[in-house]
């Protein structure tokens, strides 16, 4: 970069004059205890679009499986599975987002839209981020135990693929392709 050149090393790094983190004043994060907010931010609880991407394939699968049966399953059973998968998706997405933020924290500090993420801004340490990821992973185990054993064979590769996503950003311009495989 030449002297006086304003081109940033990373895209979207130009900071606004008052570019400081402000705690949430509305939405679900505003009603949580202050100590819980960074962890809820790590899980992206305030941004449901990603949850929809995680959850809708399971809902579609439940409906498709119900259609394939000779007689429809009880509605209570389908709603029970839908609730179980909703909790599973919140936990899995939270673990994936936390792992991504921990792995990418050095990049996140340099990118305007990411610099206020909890690990990048220092609200959660690297060790705390890893412990939180592990805790979310362990929280998912009881859910898997309530499902048929074959579901574990699905959960393991999905988890591995989500863990590979942050590293794909370092070797390809298309990391979303890697992220798309677990959803498939």
């Amino acid at each position: 970069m030449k002297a006086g050149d304003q081109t940033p090393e990373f895209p979207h790094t130009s900071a606004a004059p008052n570019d400081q983190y402000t705690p949430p004043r509305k939405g679900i994060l505003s009603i949580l205890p202050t100590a819980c907010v960074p962890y809820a931010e790590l899980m992206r609880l305030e941004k449901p679009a990603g949850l929809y991407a995680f959850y809708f394939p399971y809902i579609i699968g439940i409906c498709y499986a119900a259609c394939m049966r000779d007689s429809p399953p009880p509605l209570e059973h389908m709603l029970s599975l839908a609730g179980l998968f909703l909790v599973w998706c919140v936990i899995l997405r939270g673990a994936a987002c936390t792992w991504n933020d921990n792995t990418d924290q050095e990049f996140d500090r340099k990118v305007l839209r990411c610099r206020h993420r909890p690990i990048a801004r220092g609200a959660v340490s690297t060790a705390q981020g890893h412990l939180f990821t592990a805790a979310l992973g362990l929280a998912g185990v009881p859910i898997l135990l309530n499902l048929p054993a074959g579901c574990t064979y699905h959960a393991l590769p999905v988890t591995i693929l989500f863990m590979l996503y942050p590293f794909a950003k370092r070797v390809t311009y298309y990391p979303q392709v890697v992220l798309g495989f677990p959803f498939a």
Side-chain angles (χ1 to χ4, degrees):
M1 186 178 335
K2 296 184 281 185
D5 188 358
Q6 297 300 318
T7 306
E9 179 182 353
F10 289 89
H12 314 295
T13 56
S14 304
N18 293 325
D19 184 39
Q20 294 193 3
Y21 173 78
T22 55
R25 292 186 209 131
K26 59 183 180 178
I28 190 168
L29 298 184
S30 67
I31 61 174
L32 293 175
T34 306
C36 296
V37 170
Y39 295 98
E41 289 174 328
L42 281 173
M43 294 178 71
R44 313 282 200 278
L45 290 181
E46 78 284 11
K47 298 176 181 173
L51 177 61
Y52 302 150
F54 273 71
Y55 188 51
F56 283 162
Y58 289 103
I59 293 300
I60 292 167
I62 290 170
C63 293
Y64 181 72
C67 291
M68 297 302 295
R69 292 183 51 151
D70 291 333
S71 62
L75 180 61
E76 299 81 27
H77 179 68
M78 291 180 61
L79 292 174
S80 164
L81 282 175
L84 199 62
F85 282 125
L86 177 61
V87 174
W88 166 257
C89 289
V90 169
I91 290 170
L92 180 63
R93 179 176 181 240
C97 290
T98 303
W99 172 256
N100 178 69
D101 286 3
N102 223 353
T103 305
D104 282 350
Q105 61 183 292
E106 294 305 319
F107 294 112
D108 287 352
R109 287 185 183 103
K110 298 174 184 175
V111 177
L112 186 60
R113 75 175 178 84
C114 303
R115 67 174 44 159
H116 294 305
R117 290 181 176 170
I119 295 173
R121 74 173 188 264
V124 175
S125 71
T126 301
Q128 289 169 322
H130 285 308
L131 286 172
F132 189 58
T133 302
L136 289 169
L138 289 173
V141 171
I143 295 170
L144 278 177
L145 296 176
N146 282 302
L147 297 170
C151 293
T152 304
Y153 301 122
H154 166 75
L156 186 61
V158 164
T159 303
I160 291 169
L161 287 168
F162 280 131
M163 291 179 71
L164 290 176
Y165 167 68
F167 301 106
K169 295 181 219 176
R170 292 156 172 76
V171 295
T172 180
Y173 290 113
Y174 306 103
Q176 261 50 28
V177 171
V178 174
L179 187 60
F181 282 113
F183 293 119

